[in-house]
Amino acid sequence: MTTQTLPQALTSIEDYLEGEQRGDTKHEFLAGQVVAMVGATRSHALIAGSLHAALLPAARRKGCQLFMADMKVRIDHADESYFYYPDVVLSCATADKHPLYTALPCLIVEVLSPSTERIDTREKLFAYRLLPSLREYLLLRQDCVQADLYQLSNEGRWQHTVFTQADEMLALRCLDVAVSLHDVYADVPELLA
């Protein structure tokens, strides 16, 4: 005998945003469905923090805003809206000033976790690339030194490059800056050994 589950009532964007302001738990919003997020590990937080620290001076020089963990990204597509919380997000668009989310990011970074890797490498890879402002999507592993960088070429095609050596440089076009994987993983030295 199969059991049918009742569909979850859809939540409005306004109710979702209000709930995120009041609640202690972060949630993502997927076309009306609200999904609770899991917490991060120490390695996850250290890797995201190191990248944020490495990029912040360049972001300030360019007049961009760099956010870590608590800024939502809004995606509107085919009459549906989605809100995600990337680990690091960069916006250089002067019109991108909503107090609760960014809708015009140039760079989005996710640190992969076992529980989110499939979503980050498939669902979010597809969803984020729907943003017309996005130029780069960076995925960082937390169990080894590895970066997967997706960059939009001048011809409008997404190119994927994998970096696995600590001395390799991530050339991030949004900020015209290069960051070594060693600097990204510096606070997790067991991965550099």
Side-chain angles (χ1 to χ4, degrees):
M1 179 171 163
T2 60
T3 305
Q4 291 185 342
T5 57
L6 296 174
Q8 178 185 350
L10 296 181
T11 301
S12 71
I13 291 172
E14 295 76 19
D15 287 346
Y16 164 72
L17 291 173
E18 183 180 323
E20 289 300 281
Q21 289 290 96
R22 288 184 284 114
D24 293 333
T25 303
K26 292 191 288 189
H27 300 82
E28 293 184 328
F29 180 91
L30 311 173
Q33 300 289 322
V34 177
V35 180
M37 295 180 59
V38 297
T41 65
R42 177 181 296 272
S43 294
H44 183 123
L46 289 169
I47 292 165
S50 290
L51 181 66
H52 184 273
L55 297 180
L56 189 57
R60 287 178 174 162
R61 277 193 303 276
K62 287 197 72 141
C64 300
Q65 293 183 320
L66 186 65
F67 303 97
M68 193 171 137
D70 289 329
M71 179 56 72
K72 294 175 281 301
V73 169
R74 179 178 181 160
I75 302 165
D76 294 312
H77 178 71
D79 297 326
E80 300 286 357
S81 294
Y82 304 84
F83 289 84
Y84 295 105
Y85 280 96
D87 293 308
V88 178
V89 61
L90 173 78
S91 176
C92 296
T94 56
D96 197 11
K97 296 296 182 194
H98 195 282
L100 302 178
Y101 59 81
T102 176
L104 299 169
C106 181
L107 166 69
I108 294 176
V109 181
E110 295 283 4
V111 178
L112 300 177
S113 300
S115 62
T116 65
E117 182 172 356
R118 187 182 59 76
I119 293 167
D120 292 341
T121 59
R122 293 185 181 140
E123 175 186 320
K124 289 183 181 179
L125 173 63
F126 174 77
Y128 288 150
R129 292 190 313 182
L130 295 172
L131 291 161
S133 62
L134 191 72
R135 297 295 172 260
E136 297 170 302
Y137 180 44
L138 178 61
L139 298 167
L140 299 168
R141 296 196 65 87
Q142 65 173 305
D143 58 347
C144 65
V145 174
Q146 181 176 323
D148 286 70
L149 180 58
Y150 295 85
Q151 291 180 310
L152 187 62
S153 72
N154 293 335
E155 295 79 34
R157 288 183 302 234
W158 284 94
Q159 299 170 329
H160 176 212
T161 308
V162 179
F163 301 86
T164 58
Q165 302 300 313
D167 61 347
E168 289 184 284
M169 302 296 286
L170 300 172
L172 301 174
R173 297 177 190 150
C174 287
L175 290 175
D176 298 320
V177 69
V179 178
S180 75
L181 278 184
H182 186 276
D183 288 344
V184 172
Y185 287 92
D187 293 325
V188 194
E190 61 273 19
L191 297 181
L192 295 170

